[in-house]
Amino acid sequence: MKVSIITLQAVKNYGSVLQAFATQEKFKEYGLDVEIVNFVRKDCLKQNLMKTWIQKDNGIKRFLKIILLYPTLKRWERVFGGFLDKYLNLTKKIYTTEKDFIDSTPEADIYCTGSDQVWNTGWNKGIVPPLYLSYAPDNKKKIAFAASFGNEKLDKLEIKQIQKYLKRYDLISVRENSAVKILDEIGIKNSKNILDPTLIMDKNFWLKYIKNRMIKKDYLLIYQLNSNKNFDDYAKKLAKQKGLKLIRLCTRYDQILENGYPILIPSVEKFISLFYYASLVITDSFHGTAFSINLNRNFISIYPSQYGGRIEGILDLVGLQKRHLTNYSDFNMADKNIDYFKVNDILLKERMKVNNFLKLAIS
């Protein structure tokens, strides 16, 4: 039996490629022939990436930004593109427009909208019908696997546009409880809340991809996606207090100017390794939080100004709400023990829910 999965694997970041890989591997555990649709949003095409990043800039600022971003974009292509080529079973055809799907519809027994922020209209710059399986034949099973709206509420126009697509699904699972509420409110009943795919695969799975330790000294790892001076100052002071080397996992080359010794856009495997060997992690990233939890690390989460609900949701689920930093004068949080026996037990039970969902999906 073949399953065709559409997700956001082509977005150039660690969380996107890792959730796609984890989804693929989980479906393979059920003996399915898994194919990932090589869907690339128009703004993520190689020829459009630079335009996307500089679209709001003019004059000298635009020129300087091009010079600074060019090596970053080339490195992204090697790191993330290389990982996808190595680990994912992608379609040979690249799909971008709705016409691409009409002209060459992927063939499968089950069609699946994968995880990540596939239904986030802000992130995707509007409603993208193929991410709602608009192209899937009426007589084929359609499911959603840990999909996310990225928001806690939708506007009326958005609801009206997506209802017709969502009603075609046979089974829907979403990544946040808030998404279950959204679906209930718009008449899509019986959706399930399940883990993000990176958490569905347990610690032992990810250990297979760990590389040798890069930093010999004990270190505090910063994985920061949003500019925040308070975050930077806090991490610097905390590292000094704890006697830890301050390491910054940089997703762009210009981040070398921020606090901490920079690790510049490491391979995806080294990304996992940096979390695994860290004495302490400070992050404003959902997947940074997820990997800290899954690898049983000491960590502190700082909510970003937008989409912080995703981090709040996973902390609530595993009972680690107190790992959310609300006071930049609190330097004692890192000394408080995390009961990972309890956390791992919760994750094990949640993974059983995922297994039940998948058994139903492929039956």
Side-chain angles (χ1 to χ4, degrees):
M1 188 180 292
K2 182 177 180 180
V3 58
S4 173
I5 301 171
I6 183 169
T7 185
L8 296 174
Q9 87 293 333
V11 176
K12 303 296 191 292
N13 67 53
Y14 294 98
S16 293
V17 298
L18 284 165
Q19 65 80 22
F21 176 53
T23 299
Q24 172 185 276
E25 296 306 293
K26 187 62 185 178
F27 275 80
K28 284 169 65 175
E29 286 183 1
Y30 285 80
L32 294 168
D33 177 12
V34 184
E35 184 175 64
I36 306 290
V37 178
N38 198 357
F39 171 65
V40 185
R41 281 189 336 218
K42 188 175 180 180
D43 61 305
C44 291
L45 292 168
K46 291 180 183 179
Q47 64 268 30
N48 292 337
L49 265 176
M50 182 64 77
K51 295 177 184 177
T52 299
W53 279 79
I54 63 173
Q55 60 185 335
K56 295 181 180 180
D57 302 305
N58 295 294
I60 189 66
K61 184 179 180 181
R62 183 183 179 92
F63 177 73
L64 291 174
K65 202 167 182 179
I66 290 173
I67 294 174
L68 289 171
L69 280 173
Y70 182 76
T72 291
L73 298 183
K74 296 299 290 184
R75 177 65 179 168
W76 282 354
E77 187 178 325
R78 289 196 299 273
V79 168
F80 302 118
F83 182 84
L84 295 176
D85 289 342
K86 183 177 181 179
Y87 291 108
L88 262 65
N89 182 30
L90 293 165
T91 59
K92 292 181 180 179
K93 178 180 174 60
I94 295 175
Y95 294 80
T96 299
T97 67
E98 285 188 77
K99 186 175 184 301
D100 292 333
F101 286 91
I102 294 171
D103 292 344
S104 182
T105 304
E107 294 184 2
D109 301 293
I110 300 172
Y111 291 83
C112 175
T113 295
S115 189
D116 215 349
Q117 298 189 64
V118 286
W119 295 338
N120 185 335
T121 54
W123 180 246
N124 292 322
K125 300 174 177 61
I127 292 168
V128 182
L131 289 173
Y132 293 87
L133 301 180
S134 60
Y135 58 91
D138 290 335
N139 64 339
K140 296 290 186 176
K141 180 172 278 190
K142 290 167 280 293
I143 65 173
F145 188 69
S148 175
F149 290 105
N151 294 298
E152 295 187 4
K153 291 184 179 180
L154 306 182
D155 62 44
K156 291 182 179 179
L157 179 60
E158 184 178 354
I159 290 170
K160 185 177 180 180
Q161 290 176 308
I162 67 174
Q163 269 181 319
K164 63 180 180 180
Y165 297 122
L166 293 171
K167 287 179 179 179
R168 298 180 72 231
Y169 283 80
D170 296 280
L171 291 168
I172 294 179
S173 62
V174 286
R175 203 172 63 178
E176 297 96 17
N177 269 321
S178 59
V180 173
K181 294 177 182 178
I182 288 173
L183 291 168
D184 281 343
E185 289 171 0
I186 64 177
I188 309 298
K189 304 296 183 180
N190 301 317
S191 63
K192 305 297 183 184
N193 177 212
I194 67 171
L195 294 169
D196 179 83
T198 61
L199 286 166
I200 288 169
M201 308 309 284
D202 65 15
K203 179 180 178 180
N204 290 329
F205 172 84
W206 294 114
L207 289 181
K208 294 182 291 185
Y209 302 95
I210 297 293
K211 296 295 184 181
N212 292 335
R213 183 170 180 143
M214 300 170 62
I215 312 298
K216 299 303 179 184
K217 294 183 178 180
D218 292 341
Y219 62 92
L220 185 162
L221 177 68
I222 295 174
Y223 182 45
Q224 182 183 9
L225 302 182
N226 306 275
S227 296
N228 182 338
K229 188 177 185 304
N230 290 326
F231 180 126
D232 296 335
D233 292 343
Y234 178 82
K236 184 177 180 180
K237 291 175 183 177
L238 184 58
K240 186 176 181 179
Q241 281 192 19
K242 304 303 178 187
L244 299 173
K245 184 177 178 68
L246 188 61
I247 301 295
R248 179 178 291 271
L249 198 164
C250 297
T251 57
R252 304 191 313 269
Y253 282 134
D254 59 292
Q255 290 177 336
I256 63 173
L257 302 175
E258 306 292 341
N259 292 338
Y261 178 83
I263 304 294
L264 299 171
I265 317 176
S267 70
V268 177
E269 295 90 341
K270 287 181 178 178
F271 169 91
I272 303 169
S273 303
L274 283 166
F275 279 87
Y276 178 69
Y277 292 113
S279 297
L280 176 62
V281 176
I282 301 182
T283 184
D284 63 355
S285 155
F286 170 80
H287 281 109
T289 300
F291 270 96
S292 297
I293 292 170
N294 213 357
L295 297 174
N296 292 181
R297 309 320 300 158
N298 188 9
F299 75 97
I300 295 171
S301 287
I302 296 173
Y303 295 174
S305 58
Q306 194 173 20
Y307 308 138
R310 298 180 297 149
I311 301 176
E312 182 179 13
I314 187 59
L315 293 182
D316 285 345
L317 177 67
V318 297
L320 295 180
Q321 300 93 331
K322 292 183 179 179
R323 307 311 293 188
H324 169 214
L325 184 73
T326 57
N327 180 358
Y328 288 105
S329 298
D330 180 4
F331 293 99
N332 297 318
M333 185 182 294
D335 297 324
K336 296 175 182 176
N337 182 56
I338 299 176
D339 184 358
Y340 272 115
F341 182 84
K342 181 179 179 181
V343 170
N344 292 335
D345 186 57
I346 292 171
L347 290 176
L348 179 61
K349 291 175 181 176
E350 291 298 319
R351 290 176 185 129
M352 291 173 66
K353 292 180 183 179
V354 176
N355 291 336
N356 291 335
F357 175 83
L358 284 176
K359 288 175 183 176
L360 186 60
I362 67 174
S363 63

